Amino acid sequence: MLTGSFANFAVAQEQTSSSVLENINTEDLKEHPDVEEYIRNQGFEHLLKGDSATIERGSEKYELLSEELFLEELEKPEALRDIDISEEKLEEIATELGLEKPKPDNVTIKENILIKRNKDTNAISNVWYLYYAVNDSAFTVSIINVGFDKIDSIVADLRKYNKKGKEWVVDANTSLRALQVGNGNVFKWELDRNAVSDYFEFDIVVLEDGTVWHYDNKSGKLQYEWQRYYFDVGAYKSIKPLGGERHHIVSDKALQEAGFSNTDSFPAIRMMKQDHEDTPNWGNRTSSKEWRVKELEYLNNEDYKGLMRFEVDGFRNETDDEGKFPNLAIKYNDYLVAGAVLAYEYFGVN
């Protein structure tokens, strides 16, 4: 499944142009029947299907966008790439923990429909479907020309920020200069994830017949829409922090006090630093010490499944500092499920 939404563009128009340009959202297309008719008459009716939230996998629109963007969904959820477990057992563990069974990640896109009209008659002379996408390895800009007129130019400056501790730092810069833009992929900036989280900031200008669209996400609610996460789960010693921190799902102290000496092999989750500090067994707070006492009780009673439910509940009771998820259990859902699978292996629980 692709997830998508329309970008908000500010429009500035040259008074000397014989054309005007407008931008409309998918949900507003019904209010523009002439645009819908134009798109249908040009043979692109599939672009009208699906709303701004979901584009169903297998649909003509999905296949078109996937082909143009060179996108591939993971065959397995990222957190489970190196874990061999049946779907039935995975479902059982997730249900026991009150979590969702991990699913392949979605690919996020942003869409924008540009319409050129005659200034005097308001007749449509061209429509372009612009879309931007971020996957695990690249940021892309692509276009579908619903009509026949190429866009005069697309110019963009892009910057990638990495999360380092609790700060954002610049990781890379690039720019895009494209003239007479027709169909297909306009730009592909290949950048693998190399931090616990990153995001793309950009300033994009589209010029057509003297009319300019300008879109940037340098501030406000759009700033982090192009954010990627690079969480991971595995043995503590095998996980690199990458600007975040490694979180023992069960605290190292409780494990050692219960007689487990190889705690570096116990599963840990790569988390954002603030999220890690918000987990209930982190640090020397009174509440953290009390939490570790309860962990030890579960360990001494060999109630390992009860222990994992306890840990997940702890995540569930902590809010997401970024405000993007209702709680940390939802934010780290897949990694908690995968972590439970690894923890049960560590404890020898079937």
Side-chain angles (χ1 to χ4, degrees), residues 249-263:
I249 297 174
V250 178
S251 69
D252 180 79
K253 183 174 179 62
L255 287 167
Q256 291 196 32
E257 289 185 0
F260 295 95
S261 59
N262 58 338
T263 56

Side-chain angles (χ1 to χ4, degrees), residues 77-80 99-105 233 329-339:
E78 184 173 26
L80 300 172
L99 297 171
E100 296 290 330
K101 187 176 78 169
K103 300 175 183 177
D105 291 340
V233 63
I330 293 176
K331 186 172 186 176
Y332 291 91
N333 180 95
D334 292 6
Y335 302 88
L336 287 168
V337 175

Side-chain angles (χ1 to χ4, degrees), residues 250 254-255 258 260 295-302 304 307 347:
V250 178
L255 287 167
F260 295 95
E295 287 179 325
L296 184 58
E297 291 176 3
Y298 280 104
L299 290 166
N300 287 337
N301 291 329
E302 298 185 2
Y304 303 124
L307 174 59
F347 292 129

Side-chain angles (χ1 to χ4, degrees), residues 227 229 231 271-272 274-276 278 314-332:
Q227 185 175 359
Y229 294 104
F231 305 145
M271 302 179 65
M272 300 177 79
Q274 184 61 60
D275 291 344
H276 185 208
D278 289 341
F315 271 64
R316 190 174 288 116
N317 291 330
E318 298 296 336
T319 58
D320 173 29
D321 182 68
E322 294 183 299
K324 291 191 172 184
F325 300 87
N327 56 62
L328 292 186
I330 293 176
K331 186 172 186 176
Y332 291 91

Side-chain angles (χ1 to χ4, degrees), residues 18-71:
S18 62
S19 301
V20 292
L21 298 172
E22 66 176 315
N23 161 63
I24 57 176
N25 297 333
T26 303
E27 56 268 26
D28 296 330
L29 269 173
K30 297 297 183 184
E31 301 173 14
H32 301 270
D34 58 337
V35 178
E36 289 189 305
E37 182 180 8
Y38 184 92
I39 293 173
R40 288 193 184 94
N41 289 342
Q42 298 299 322
F44 288 86
E45 184 175 5
H46 51 279
L47 293 180
L48 304 174
K49 297 177 180 178
D51 56 30
S52 61
T54 60
I55 303 168
E56 292 300 329
R57 185 175 187 178
S59 68
E60 188 174 358
K61 184 175 182 179
Y62 178 94
E63 296 303 328
L64 174 63
L65 298 188
S66 295
E67 179 180 353
E68 292 289 348
L69 293 169
F70 310 106
L71 302 176

Side-chain angles (χ1 to χ4, degrees), residues 235-301:
Y236 182 88
K237 61 184 178 183
S238 70
I239 299 295
K240 295 181 179 180
L242 299 182
E245 293 184 347
R246 296 170 294 178
H247 168 70
H248 266 104
I249 297 174
V250 178
S251 69
D252 180 79
K253 183 174 179 62
L255 287 167
Q256 291 196 32
E257 289 185 0
F260 295 95
S261 59
N262 58 338
T263 56
D264 275 356
S265 297
F266 194 80
I269 299 174
R270 178 193 296 143
M271 302 179 65
M272 300 177 79
K273 180 177 176 60
Q274 184 61 60
D275 291 344
H276 185 208
E277 292 182 7
D278 289 341
T279 57
N281 66 12
W282 180 88
N284 290 317
R285 301 166 298 208
T286 299
S287 60
S288 301
K289 294 176 181 178
E290 292 172 349
W291 189 272
R292 290 192 287 269
V293 169
K294 294 178 182 177
E295 287 179 325
L296 184 58
E297 291 176 3
Y298 280 104
L299 290 166
N300 287 337
N301 291 329

